Amino acid sequence: MILEGTILAGSDFEPVEGRVVVEDGEIQAVEEAPVESDDIVLPAFVNAHTHIGDSIAKEAGGGLSLEELVAPPDGLKHRLLRQTSYEEKVAAMRRSLQFMYSGGTATCVEFREGGVEGVRAIREAADGLAIDPVVLGRETIDAMRLDEADGFGASGANDAEFGEERRATAEAGKLFGIHAGEADPSDIDPAMDLDPDFLVHMCHPEPRHLARVAEEETPIAVCPRSNLVTDVGLPPIREWLDRTTVALGTDNVMLNSPSMFREMEFTAKLCDVTATEVLRMATLSGAELAGLNYGCIEPGREAKLLVLDGDSDNLAGVRDPVRAVVRRAGTSDVSEVVG
């Protein structure tokens, strides 16, 4: 396979006119050459934090606090999930996965409620689809131990101790992620004491937390649109980018469309970040957080790629393709998702 156009190559997404050569699902070469195509070729997105089970309750709970919306075990989300049949949850998650892939997302890092049944439900929802979610089981160690699970996704250190879950996940050689610092800083230190593979949200760090994250090089998945909806305040993304790997996620489908285009535009226009940094957050950083060999167009990487129509009504006349992808592009501009 050969893809031609403006290639956003390498970890800095340098625009290169030319082609990407793909063989057996792997990028073999990036060749600079004159081409006639107006397409823009970039890495497919990695949505670094999702909860897609609540696809059954989009826009439910307007005006509720974060705790009222999602706190286990009796937040609105959890009550609605208990009231919904397995079949309905699978069907709703499948539609969200299809939507994400149509918008250029190769994978999502899913914190999957429902224990063993929840993990099996998302695998059933994804069966036959091109998108391949990274599934972190929740609620029970048995959910993490399933062959279908890629790790454990903890709610927060104020909800439980999670020491046993962390030890079991480490023994299994799987990912361990945990929410921290979403509403306040009280759960950041106990979360970090678990030596997680990554943290989620981190909206309210104190100076010692900034230093500790930098020292321990703990990656962070941020979800700024969700934080705005739940009124907890935006994460200090500039501070985190200066200290560690930062990836971008869309969080609960109940609260936000799982569109990385929307998340990128929101982040770029509201936060002190460059377009290149935002695109890296939406691709390579999420892949690194999840231990995946894509998110960057360079030889040896898996060919998880996104092709945009650079001659669409929205993108025709673009002078800065990276800025355009981050601040302007949308699903309607997608020509092809590869891989």
Side-chain angles (χ1 to χ4, degrees), residues 163-179:
E164 185 177 353
E165 290 84 350
R166 180 63 183 111
R167 286 188 291 274
T169 306
E171 289 170 3
K174 295 184 177 183
L175 282 172
F176 182 88
I178 185 169
H179 297 75

Side-chain angles (χ1 to χ4, degrees), residues 55-108:
S55 298
I56 51 94
K58 296 167 186 171
E59 302 307 319
L64 298 182
S65 69
L66 175 66
E67 183 173 359
E68 292 169 328
L69 281 167
V70 300
D74 293 317
L76 176 64
K77 175 182 78 171
H78 299 279
R79 299 200 309 273
L80 292 174
L81 287 172
R82 287 196 293 269
Q83 295 165 14
T84 304
S85 72
Y86 178 88
E87 293 75 16
E88 288 176 295
K89 284 183 278 194
V90 168
M93 287 192 290
R94 187 173 182 85
R95 298 195 71 166
S96 288
L97 290 167
Q98 289 174 155
F99 174 81
M100 281 193 274
Y101 188 75
S102 71
T105 296
T107 191
C108 59

Side-chain angles (χ1 to χ4, degrees), residues 32-279:
E32 188 170 357
V35 296
E36 295 184 1
S37 175
D38 293 312
D39 287 345
I40 301 171
V41 184
L42 62 143
F45 302 128
V46 176
N47 190 334
H49 184 64
T50 61
H51 298 269
I52 70 167
D54 52 30
S55 298
I56 51 94
K58 296 167 186 171
E59 302 307 319
L64 298 182
S65 69
L66 175 66
E67 183 173 359
E68 292 169 328
L69 281 167
V70 300
D74 293 317
L76 176 64
K77 175 182 78 171
H78 299 279
R79 299 200 309 273
L80 292 174
L81 287 172
R82 287 196 293 269
Q83 295 165 14
T84 304
S85 72
Y86 178 88
E87 293 75 16
E88 288 176 295
K89 284 183 278 194
V90 168
M93 287 192 290
R94 187 173 182 85
R95 298 195 71 166
S96 288
L97 290 167
Q98 289 174 155
F99 174 81
M100 281 193 274
Y101 188 75
S102 71
T105 296
T107 191
C108 59
V109 181
E110 166 70 6
F111 277 44
R112 183 79 290 278
E113 291 86 7
V116 167
E117 182 181 275
V119 171
R120 290 180 172 156
I122 191 171
R123 288 303 182 199
E124 183 175 338
D127 186 43
L129 301 181
I131 189 170
D132 184 21
V134 173
V135 179
L136 305 188
R138 305 187 73 185
E139 299 168 16
T140 69
I141 292 175
D142 286 343
M144 177 275 298
R145 285 179 172 148
L146 290 172
D147 290 342
E148 301 96 321
D150 300 296
F152 190 89
S155 57
N158 287 341
D159 297 327
E161 197 273 328
F162 291 115
E164 185 177 353
E165 290 84 350
R166 180 63 183 111
R167 286 188 291 274
T169 306
E171 289 170 3
K174 295 184 177 183
L175 282 172
F176 182 88
I178 185 169
H179 297 75
E182 187 173 8
D184 61 55
S186 63
D187 60 355
I188 295 177
D189 280 323
M192 295 196 70
D193 289 344
L194 294 168
D195 189 27
D197 293 299
F198 66 96
L199 300 161
V200 181
H201 294 303
M202 293 293 280
C203 299
H204 298 285
E206 295 177 348
R208 71 177 187 277
H209 301 133
L210 297 173
R212 185 174 181 184
V213 165
E215 181 180 355
E216 298 180 17
E217 299 181 337
T218 309
I220 297 171
V222 297
C223 310
R225 281 191 304 153
S226 172
N227 301 146
L228 190 67
V229 170
T230 58
D231 199 29
V232 298
L234 292 172
I237 295 177
R238 177 75 271 150
E239 297 277 8
W240 291 132
L241 282 168
D242 291 340
R243 290 166 172 81
T244 191
T245 298
V246 182
L248 198 60
T250 61
D251 207 9
N252 296 75
V253 177
M254 181 171 69
L255 306 178
N256 291 298
S257 164
S259 166
M260 292 299 282
F261 285 116
R262 288 191 179 187
E263 202 71 38
M264 287 193 303
E265 180 181 10
F266 182 91
T267 302
K269 291 182 176 179
L270 197 63
C271 303
D272 179 21
V273 287
T274 68
T276 297
E277 287 172 325
V278 173
L279 186 54

